[in-house]
Amino acid sequence: QVQLVESGGGLVQTGGSLTLTCTSSGRSFPMYTMGWYRQGPGNEREFVAAVSSSGRSTSYAASAKGRLTISRDNAKNVVYLRMKSLEPEDTGIYYCAARNAPWITQREHDYDYWGQGTQVTVSS
């Protein structure tokens, strides 16, 4: 069983920056594809970014490109989501997800494990 714990959320003004961290338990972390998803107020959960097990490949939602960066440190069992130039539309609960396969997918149902989420609020 894999446990994922997100941290780093908070309140930030428009144009600000935040870095989210997802810490994973277990020794299989280097084998997992990792993803970040967001659920805004009244919206369904949507894909934000993903990184392959090696860290060499990444994928982003169109709204995230150029502003958000996903990365991982397999030695520390963590994945990061660095966010800059934040906008009110970025507000939501951010979830970390793990997939027991090395290649990237944006499809939510392909992920096997989920964290509880961390709240990000961007004020205008």
Side-chain angles (χ1 to χ4, degrees), residues 6 20 35-49 61 63 68 81 83 87-97 108 114-122:
E6 302 95 336
L20 306 183
W36 283 99
Y37 283 75
R38 173 180 67 216
Q39 186 167 19
N43 296 331
E44 295 185 351
R45 192 158 57 184
E46 62 182 357
F47 172 78
V48 174
S63 61
L68 277 59
L81 185 68
M83 305 186 292
E87 304 165 350
E89 292 73 22
D90 295 313
T91 293
I93 301 173
Y94 283 71
Y95 295 92
C96 174
E108 184 174 339
W114 293 83
Q116 294 299 306
T118 186
Q119 176 71 45
V120 172
T121 303
V122 184

Side-chain angles (χ1 to χ4, degrees), residues 8-119:
L11 174 64
V12 64
Q13 292 185 333
T14 297
S17 301
L18 280 176
T19 296
L20 306 183
T21 301
C22 173
T23 303
S24 173
S25 64
R27 292 177 291 180
S28 299
F29 179 81
M31 300 172 59
Y32 293 136
T33 291
M34 300 300 295
W36 283 99
Y37 283 75
R38 173 180 67 216
Q39 186 167 19
N43 296 331
E44 295 185 351
R45 192 158 57 184
E46 62 182 357
F47 172 78
V48 174
V51 60
S52 63
S53 59
S54 68
R56 287 192 289 268
S57 297
T58 57
S59 177
Y60 293 94
S63 61
K65 288 181 179 179
R67 300 187 304 118
L68 277 59
T69 303
I70 188 171
S71 62
R72 65 190 296 161
D73 185 337
N74 284 347
K76 297 180 179 179
N77 280 19
V78 296
V79 60
Y80 303 103
L81 185 68
R82 292 178 173 85
M83 305 186 292
K84 64 179 183 179
S85 302
L86 285 165
E87 304 165 350
E89 292 73 22
D90 295 313
T91 293
I93 301 173
Y94 283 71
Y95 295 92
C96 174
R99 177 177 187 234
N100 191 6
W103 50 89
I104 290 175
T105 178
Q106 296 187 3
R107 299 188 304 180
E108 184 174 339
H109 68 265
D110 284 340
Y111 287 84
D112 302 296
Y113 305 101
W114 293 83
Q116 294 299 306
T118 186
Q119 176 71 45

